[in-house]
Amino acid sequence: WKGRPRGWAAFFLAFAVFAARLCAFQSEDLAALSNHVKELMSQGRFEQAIPICERLLKAVPGNTGLLLNLGMAEQMAGHPEKAIPRFEEILRAEPNNVPSLSSLASSQLQLEQPKAAIAPLSKLVALQPANHVTRGMLAGALLSAGDLDQAAIQYRKLTAEAPADPKALYGLGKT
């Protein structure tokens, strides 16, 4: 092919067309897999979604959306200890990622680690101060961790928002 610029040009053109078709095929395949994961997750078939999520993540490493799906599938399948590092990785890239903060805290609470859940729950409450459920989780984690003063502060805020909430009243009474 020495001295044949047309030969090289034709070769590179053919290679570019092949590469474009391969990428399009992979993109369609990945989209189909992603839709299958959504379907499995909506059906509560979390264990079956895990290997597909792992396959997607290998194809598109570092994608926080795919990492979140994998972590959530692991958590919902009863493997919170595997999910925690996924959520922590997302939070290193996106510190205010609400679904990751919430899922991290839930996983830590599933593993009966209320002290570990306090930091992500505190951040969630700071990001969403009107979220009654998250504040209740924070109050409960603080109570379980033995921080009665901080738990009381959160329970007082909850009872101010919803004076008839029996869980908030009970928690306030325990503090």
Side-chain angles (χ1 to χ4, degrees):
W1 290 31
K2 252 186 195 174
R4 297 187 65 196
R6 283 188 174 163
W8 280 108
F11 171 76
F12 285 119
L13 179 62
F15 181 76
V17 169
F18 170 75
R21 286 185 180 164
L22 180 62
C23 289
F25 171 75
Q26 287 177 339
S27 177
E28 289 173 18
D29 189 40
L30 294 177
L33 286 174
S34 181
N35 287 334
H36 189 53
V37 166
K38 289 177 190 174
E39 186 179 301
L40 290 170
M41 300 268 285
S42 70
Q43 296 170 354
R45 297 164 54 195
F46 306 109
E47 199 71 52
Q48 293 172 327
I50 293 171
I52 301 170
C53 289
E54 291 171 334
R55 183 173 163 198
L56 285 166
L57 201 54
K58 282 182 185 175
V60 188
N63 182 299
T64 56
L66 296 176
L67 195 56
L68 179 63
N69 284 345
L70 176 56
M72 291 178 77
E74 289 172 332
Q75 178 191 16
M76 300 300 274
H79 310 294
E81 69 286 348
K82 291 181 181 178
I84 288 173
R86 317 280 188 203
F87 302 133
E88 290 172 336
E89 184 177 339
I90 294 166
L91 292 169
R92 282 191 291 277
E94 300 173 19
N96 294 331
N97 186 299
V98 171
S100 294
L101 286 165
S102 179
S103 297
L104 174 61
S106 294
S107 292
Q108 291 165 327
L109 291 173
Q110 276 181 282
L111 294 171
E112 298 180 15
Q113 300 172 351
K115 284 185 181 181
I118 292 170
L121 287 169
S122 295
K123 190 163 196 171
L124 275 170
V125 167
L127 291 170
Q128 301 176 330
N131 188 324
H132 191 80
V133 173
T134 302
R135 189 175 300 280
M137 289 174 65
L138 174 59
L142 289 163
L143 181 62
S144 295
D147 192 342
L148 301 181
D149 292 335
Q150 289 302 310
I153 290 169
Q154 297 305 319
Y155 281 122
R156 282 189 197 101
K157 289 180 181 180
L158 286 168
T159 57
E161 294 170 6
D165 181 342
K167 287 182 181 181
L169 291 169
Y170 178 76
L172 184 58
K174 286 186 77 170
T175 62

